[in-house]
Amino acid sequence: MSEVKFSKQHEWIKLDGDIATIGITQHASEMLGDIVFVELPEKGSSVAKDGVAGVVESTKAASDVYTPVSGEVIENNQSIVDDPAKINSDPENQAWFFKLKIKDKNEIETLMNKEEYHKFAKESSN
Amino acid sequence: MENKKTALYSLHKKNGAKFVPFAGYEMPIQYTDGIISEHKFTREKAGIFDVSHMGQLFIKGTNKLEDDLEKIFPTDLKNILINQSKYSFLMNENGGIHDDLIITKLKNGFNIVLNAACKNTDFDLLKELLNNKYEMDLKDNFSLIAIQGPEAVKILEKITNGVSNLKFMSGNNFNYSGDNIYITRSGYTGEDGFEISIKNELAEEFVEKLIKQGGKLIGLGARDTLRLEAGLCLYGHDMDINKSPVEANLKWAISKNRINSGGFIGYEKIKLQIEKGVKKLRVGIQPEGKIIAREKTAIFSEDNKNIGEITSGTFGPSVKAPVAMGYIDNSFAKINTKIFLEVRGKKHPANITNLPFYKKNYVKGVNK
């Protein structure tokens, strides 16, 4: 299993063979505040790199969730639909959003590693 | 222009506030606990709100002032008692709402609590309407603190003895370490609670005492979810200059004898609307699923006609479901009418519902 990578839209992605698991980062969940609603891409649908693949809503506002890579949705996490608060309590593990069969592994290369992302997140919140 | 800070700014900071600019002020949107837990704490215990950004307008005068204010406001100010408060509106000739406000009658004048974003224009307008005849003071040297929730009375009573005797929508002067503070039993959360007007220099230590007695600072985020569950309007969203109190479903706030006697700004329009009805009406809206319909969401009828718009919508942490209100064509305003809300291109079923979404049988105070 490869290392976790991060996007500028504050998603994380973990690759296992050609299956990617995607969610939003701890930093994103903290910025959003209490999440009360989530919408996920449908199983079987195709998503394109940097395209909208879902929505998260706090009490204050709705925000789009993007996919950092292209692929076909093979699974979405119903447990966060039933209990969106999980996204605040465990965003980078249990509260993953969806799994993709990825199209092009090279797309992952452009993403940030953990260290780079933390630096990016810190700068972008200032 | 830099945003203003209230006298409690450093206390907010110390308590981990996340700030947002609001009506020219740096205000706490939430603290470390977050909006939902702050909301629930207010419903279960007692939340403390800094609402010092709101206007506290004092107008000095007696009988003549009463007459002049009745020429402006649709409220029976002559027959209310000293220290009694009334919800009212500053309207234009067309019944459009400049601001919604609370007027309290005092021995030597009236105190009017105004929305932060409207307070300066309200001040100028009222000054003009009153022909500059009265001493008017928008009391920037006073903070306004709300404490709301089932334990509010118990907590505040420990600091200012006697507040438990106040009746809902009435106030009085209280002694606090040799200084005078004015407290009303009122609020904006659907809970029992109080609003405390206190000198800026005393505000921080006063709030710290409330915290020590079991209160917790609550941000504007939870204030919004609390008021929406309680079915209360937010000016600039659920009401504005293009909507009248009748359209806002708030005609209860217009005194009956004033509808008969008239003589206030907007009277003709209001009377006409009360007699003939209105085209659009503010209603409560309960989405059937989990979809949150926010401000500006279009409302459709079952036969796909655009019949209105959401003006406030969020997730209600206490009702554990999405809640909304909006303006709708009057013929669809009946309770349980099925409607559809267009969110991200899809139409979702919802129903017209009674307000408030959240109702508590709180103590309305006692007569002693």
Side-chain angles (χ1 to χ4, degrees):
Chain A
M1 196 179 287
S2 69
E3 66 171 323
V4 180
K5 295 273 196 164
F6 298 86
S7 74
K8 286 189 173 168
Q9 286 91 21
H10 305 284
E11 284 86 31
W12 57 265
I13 174 168
K14 202 160 79 180
L15 197 64
D16 188 2
D18 61 351
I19 304 299
T21 306
I22 292 160
I24 68 167
T25 65
Q26 177 84 39
H27 173 77
S29 82
E30 282 165 15
M31 296 311 282
L32 290 164
D34 294 322
I35 293 164
V36 293
F37 177 81
V38 60
E39 209 167 74
L40 296 171
E42 273 173 44
K43 214 168 141 175
S45 64
S46 288
V47 292
K49 180 178 163 62
D50 298 329
V52 175
V55 175
V56 280
E57 299 202 30
S58 69
T59 53
K60 295 296 297 170
S63 315
D64 288 330
V65 175
Y66 300 88
T67 174
V69 297
S70 312
E72 187 196 326
V73 179
I74 56 162
E75 209 179 332
N76 55 32
N77 186 358
Q78 280 306 309
S79 80
I80 61 170
V81 175
D82 299 336
D83 183 13
K86 273 190 182 162
I87 301 165
N88 292 107
S89 56
D90 196 12
E92 297 189 12
N93 285 300
Q94 276 190 24
W96 55 276
F97 276 51
F98 52 91
K99 291 186 182 185
L100 292 183
K101 184 163 191 229
I102 62 167
K103 242 180 154 172
D104 177 5
K105 272 194 183 175
N106 291 328
E107 285 181 347
I108 296 185
E109 300 306 316
T110 60
L111 299 171
M112 291 174 275
N113 67 26
K114 194 168 189 161
E115 206 176 306
E116 287 165 338
Y117 173 71
H118 281 171
K119 199 168 159 238
F120 168 79
K122 210 173 161 190
E123 279 165 7
S124 62
S125 58
N126 283 341
Chain B
M1 202 177 72
E2 196 167 314
N3 284 319
K4 289 187 206 160
K5 294 177 170 118
T6 71
L8 295 174
Y9 182 82
S10 60
L11 187 66
H12 295 316
K13 215 163 179 179
K14 214 167 83 187
N15 282 273
K18 207 189 256 185
F19 290 94
V20 290
F22 184 86
Y25 286 81
E26 279 298 304
M27 296 303 288
I29 183 87
Q30 64 166 82
Y31 300 84
T32 39
D33 286 352
I35 293 173
I36 292 186
S37 114
E38 289 172 26
H39 175 114
K40 288 181 176 163
F41 189 87
T42 306
R43 291 261 183 261
E44 284 154 20
K45 298 208 155 59
I48 306 163
F49 302 78
D50 179 11
V51 286
S52 305
H53 56 314
M54 298 185 81
Q56 300 185 65
L57 173 63
F58 174 69
I59 309 177
K60 196 172 176 183
T62 50
N63 295 353
K64 189 79 189 70
L65 174 62
E66 248 168 44
D67 291 340
D68 284 343
L69 288 179
E70 283 207 350
K71 287 176 193 153
I72 300 169
F73 298 109
T75 305
D76 182 356
L77 298 171
K78 285 194 187 116
N79 292 312
I80 63 170
L81 303 170
I82 286 174
N83 290 321
Q84 196 178 348
S85 303
K86 283 281 175 188
Y87 180 57
S88 189
F89 314 95
L90 181 56
M91 291 184 281
N92 65 13
E93 287 295 344
N94 213 19
I97 305 170
H98 283 294
D99 200 2
D100 66 329
L101 42 93
I102 304 265
I103 308 186
T104 306
K105 189 174 189 168
L106 303 175
K107 267 191 201 128
N108 58 343
F110 286 86
N111 194 67
I112 310 181
V113 176
L114 306 162
N115 277 298
C118 308
K119 65 181 179 183
N120 292 317
T121 49
D122 287 352
F123 182 90
D124 294 343
L125 181 58
L126 284 168
K127 196 159 190 150
E128 189 192 314
L129 292 168
L130 293 167
N131 294 317
N132 221 343
K133 274 192 292 192
Y134 302 94
E135 194 184 313
M136 288 173 59
D137 182 13
L138 201 49
K139 301 188 297 181
D140 282 340
N141 52 334
F142 277 76
S143 294
L144 190 63
I145 297 153
I147 180 161
Q148 301 277 299
E151 292 185 3
V153 60
K154 190 182 83 188
I155 289 169
L156 190 59
E157 181 69 36
K158 282 185 187 149
I159 299 161
T160 45
N161 201 286
V163 290
S164 54
N165 296 330
L166 288 176
K167 283 196 266 180
F168 191 64
M169 289 300 272
S170 70
N172 217 332
N173 293 293
F174 291 85
N175 184 350
Y176 172 70
S177 61
D179 254 289
N180 183 61
I181 59 176
Y182 194 81
I183 302 179
T184 57
R185 195 165 200 157
S186 57
Y188 190 52
T189 58
E191 297 292 327
D192 183 26
F194 302 87
E195 290 186 359
I196 303 132
S197 175
I198 184 168
K199 264 190 203 154
N200 285 340
E201 305 88 83
L202 297 172
E204 184 171 321
E205 107 180 21
F206 190 84
V207 170
E208 278 180 325
K209 283 186 181 162
L210 294 175
I211 294 171
K212 206 167 270 174
Q213 294 298 336
K216 222 180 219 183
L217 281 166
I218 307 296
L220 291 183
R223 187 169 162 82
D224 193 49
T225 53
L226 287 159
R227 69 92 194 165
L228 188 39
E229 279 188 344
L232 301 168
C233 289
L234 177 60
Y235 188 79
H237 302 262
D238 307 304
M239 53 168 65
D240 56 40
I241 197 70
N242 298 312
K243 292 164 185 123
S244 79
V246 184
E247 290 166 324
N249 224 335
L250 296 168
K251 65 179 176 204
W252 59 264
I254 298 171
S255 305
K256 287 218 171 63
N257 63 348
R258 297 305 315 279
I259 295 169
N260 298 330
S261 66
F264 57 85
I265 299 173
Y267 164 67
E268 275 157 27
K269 187 64 179 265
I270 295 297
K271 189 173 161 66
L272 193 75
Q273 287 186 337
I274 287 174
E275 282 169 4
K276 307 258 162 151
V278 287
K279 285 204 178 85
K280 58 179 179 188
L281 196 66
R282 182 180 64 100
V283 291
I285 293 161
Q286 180 89 66
E288 282 184 8
K290 287 187 158 189
I291 282 280
I292 300 169
R294 300 192 184 267
E295 189 172 3
K296 304 237 187 300
T297 298
I299 306 171
F300 291 86
S301 62
E302 284 194 288
D303 59 354
N304 215 20
K305 270 203 286 266
N306 187 337
I307 51 169
E309 192 178 271
I310 300 287
T311 51
S312 278
T314 185
F315 175 82
S318 298
V319 301
K320 296 186 175 64
V323 291
M325 51 173 111
Y327 283 78
I328 197 163
D329 185 310
N330 202 355
S331 54
F332 294 90
K334 243 173 81 184
I335 303 302
N336 293 327
T337 305
K338 186 153 186 162
I339 54 167
F340 292 85
L341 309 172
E342 190 176 75
V343 178
R344 294 184 285 275
K346 270 189 221 159
K347 297 202 172 74
H348 302 268
N351 293 285
I352 307 296
T353 182
N354 277 313
L355 290 173
F357 295 98
Y358 180 89
K359 198 168 189 175
K360 200 166 217 178
N361 294 317
Y362 57 82
V363 188
K364 286 205 169 174
V366 283
N367 281 307
K368 272 186 188 166

